[in-house]
Amino acid sequence: MKKTILILFLFLITKPAFGQEIENRLNGIDQEIETLLNSYKAVGLSVSVVKNNEIIYSKGFGYRDLEKKLPVNENTVFPIASCSKAFTASLIGILDFENKISLKDKPSLHIPKIEFYNSDMDNLITIEDLLSHRSGLGDLNGTLVLFPEKSSLEVIPKLKYIKPEGNVKDSWIYSNMGYTVAGSIIEEVTDKSWQENLAEKIFIPLRMVNTYTDLESMKETNNFSFGYGLSNGKTKKVLYENYYNYKPAGGVRSTSKDLANWMMTWLNKGKFNGENILPKKFVQNATTIHNIRPNENEENAFLFGDGLGWRMESSSGKYKVYHGGNTSGFSTLILTYPFEKLGITVLTNQTNSILPYIIADVIKNRMLGLQKTDLKDYPVSVIDIYMPSEINKDVNPEKKPSHSLSSFIGFYSNKGYGTIEIAIKNGNLLASYPRHEFFLEHLYYNVFVMKPKREISQVMNPEFAINFKTNNSGEISSFIINLQSNPVEFTKEM
């Protein structure tokens, strides 16, 4: 009896001491984060840290609305961009566990009308390939962003006409399209939307009460962040990326506090508050390398690869599982060290920024007892946002087009993308996409460059060159544009 009491007493006095030790590791972290926030000229950010199945740190810094000086806290909603991919992969893992699908299935087993560009793709691509970026599809953001459909399922008929960017099972090419197809599979198998599946199977069980899958719901809250970017050292507010038809690749909006529950679930092999939310076997499978990712090995970072919705590498002698996200106005990171039961989420409202990685590195070094890096030694890297240059409305007099401008007007189509209308307005060519309109500035001969007529989100630089071609009769019959690694041709409707 005395021995039992002694053991209990020792447990009670050592547990708080251990908790205090962990807390002490983060002493002074607030000031370091503030210093980095200022160094990067970032507007705001939110951080959460979990260790041994509990939240040990959760805090906001800076502003979610710079103009109104509204502060960020742990419940401020940020778009998390490609960190969303692990959520889509998890829905697939749950369906696999329920024997409704298999990761080894071909997509056509669940989407009967799906066809890829060639028979090799039809015969070889599996759901697992879609999730690990080895389908060969490639990013294909040109069709997803510039030619959005109402749903991911409506993107499917385009796949037959889009050339692959790599070989099935023998390439690593990051693919938002792969996750768009995976989202369609989820909807076909469950007869529910991707959004409904997430709410029912993940958000509600994990008590992610401030997590959303559309901009409208996010904006209805009284605590969401606007997005910002830098241009020549000055902060500018930018538009949100909408993710119309590719939400499964990046459409989740969440908070650092909600994502702490998400991290704890992964670190606890799929369990949250004692309940099985994700299948244990899937968690193990998803955080195992399925596809080697090209990268340069460094002394403290090597063995780069992708699992299912996650990335893996050996970092500072530790097994690191993570995924970052970058969207118009925001850069994010969810980072876990499974064997150390450590998770770190950093959400920032600064686009094209490595700030989340720097802050996570500072916290990781403290929590794992690694050598600290002087803050002055971290690189300050933020890519400037796209700012349209002044539009030149004159034709290059030395290299004029081969035809009158009226010869270029018409509808140009590509079945893998959509239709673009070329028209004349006030004496200049305009290109009308489904949701965007571009002025065509003349460069030389039959080559023009797209200039946006109004502000657009910071998803890509839209200044693509359009090179018009003629047929055997000398008529303007098509144009090519570099929407993929190889030019894509749009044919004029004659």
Side-chain angles (χ1 to χ4, degrees), residues 112 157 211 227 377:
T211 299
D377 292 336

Side-chain angles (χ1 to χ4, degrees), residues 128-184:
E128 194 173 66
D129 296 327
L130 298 173
L131 300 180
S132 59
H133 304 297
R134 66 183 186 200
S135 66
L137 279 171
D139 208 3
L140 306 183
N141 275 348
T143 187
L144 292 172
V145 176
L146 292 173
F147 300 90
E149 303 293 345
K150 292 180 180 179
S151 69
S152 58
L153 195 60
E154 292 183 50
V155 177
I156 299 301
K158 296 181 177 183
L159 294 173
K160 179 177 174 59
Y161 305 99
I162 301 178
K163 292 181 180 180
E165 298 278 275
N167 297 323
V168 183
K169 300 185 186 298
D170 189 28
S171 61
W172 182 94
I173 307 175
Y174 194 79
S175 181
N176 283 330
M177 181 63 83
Y179 275 80
T180 301
V181 176
S184 298

Side-chain angles (χ1 to χ4, degrees), residues 50 55 206-208 256-266 272:
V50 300
I55 301 173
L206 292 187
R207 302 177 189 173
M208 298 178 72
S256 63
K257 189 173 182 181
D258 276 8
L259 291 168
N261 292 352
W262 177 238
M263 291 190 295
M264 285 191 289
T265 303
W266 281 88
F272 180 73

Side-chain angles (χ1 to χ4, degrees), residues 102-122:
S102 167
L103 287 164
K104 304 297 184 184
D105 287 344
K106 297 177 185 176
S108 58
L109 187 61
H110 307 289
I111 308 177
K113 295 183 179 180
I114 191 171
E115 287 184 80
F116 294 102
Y117 187 77
N118 56 44
S119 58
D120 279 351
M121 298 178 78
D122 289 333

Side-chain angles (χ1 to χ4, degrees), residues 28-36 38 61 375:
I29 193 65
D30 288 13
Q31 184 55 54
E32 290 188 314
I33 293 174
E34 290 280 6
T35 299
L36 289 166
N38 294 329
F61 298 82
L375 296 187

